[in-house]
Amino acid sequence: MAENKEYLVQEQENGSILISEEVIASIASLAVREVEGVFGLSITQTLDLSNILGKKNLRKGIRVTIAEEGVEISCNLIVKMGAAVMTVARNVQEAIADEVTAMTGVRPLRVNVNVCGVAVPKPAAK
């Protein structure tokens, strides 16, 4: 096992529960998808259309850091053209924090949102 994964550890009276960074990233990516005005996530902090993630790979646009103090989550967000950038970013922060808290029982210390671009959605096929 060459991978060096961090786990959120919750001690219970009859053992412990370990939640991996990937699970937290998946929870966060699902929360991001539900926010109005989000076009997608990007792997990098720059708007490069080749780095915009499809629905299956959204968690790659989210970085989770687990330390003794708690969990910190960062995401590279692409906002839909015409949406209020600050409002969308704030809504993403709240959605991620609320969903991670609801599913893991641990509130993230920080949710950092890097708005790295604005994109125009493709018109719906008729």
Side-chain angles (χ1 to χ4, degrees):
M1 292 185 24
E3 294 179 26
N4 186 15
K5 292 183 184 177
E6 293 291 325
Y7 291 87
L8 177 62
V9 180
Q10 294 180 337
E11 296 296 332
Q12 305 292 311
E13 68 180 56
N14 58 347
S16 17
I17 298 172
L18 296 121
I19 303 171
S20 75
E21 292 173 338
E22 288 180 1
V23 169
I24 296 169
S26 293
I27 293 168
S29 71
L30 292 171
V32 169
R33 268 198 267 179
E34 300 299 317
V35 177
E36 185 68 33
V38 171
F39 181 83
L41 293 171
S42 177
I43 297 171
T44 64
Q45 293 183 357
T46 59
L47 179 59
D48 179 355
L49 294 179
S50 65
N51 288 328
I52 295 177
L53 300 167
K55 289 184 179 183
K56 292 182 181 179
N57 296 329
L58 272 178
R59 73 174 184 264
K60 291 183 181 177
I62 295 179
R63 188 177 69 247
V64 176
T65 305
I66 299 174
E68 285 186 31
E69 310 84 53
V71 177
E72 185 173 316
I73 301 169
S74 300
C75 69
N76 296 320
L77 186 65
I78 301 167
V79 176
K80 288 181 185 175
M81 177 63 86
V85 173
M86 291 300 288
T87 301
V88 173
R90 196 173 310 111
N91 290 344
V92 165
Q93 282 180 314
E94 291 172 8
I96 289 173
D98 291 347
E99 196 65 24
V100 169
T101 302
M103 293 187 74
T104 67
V106 175
R107 186 112 184 133
L109 296 174
R110 273 190 190 91
V111 178
N112 302 310
V113 177
N114 175 38
V115 180
C116 59
V118 176
V120 179
K122 291 180 184 177
K126 295 180 181 181

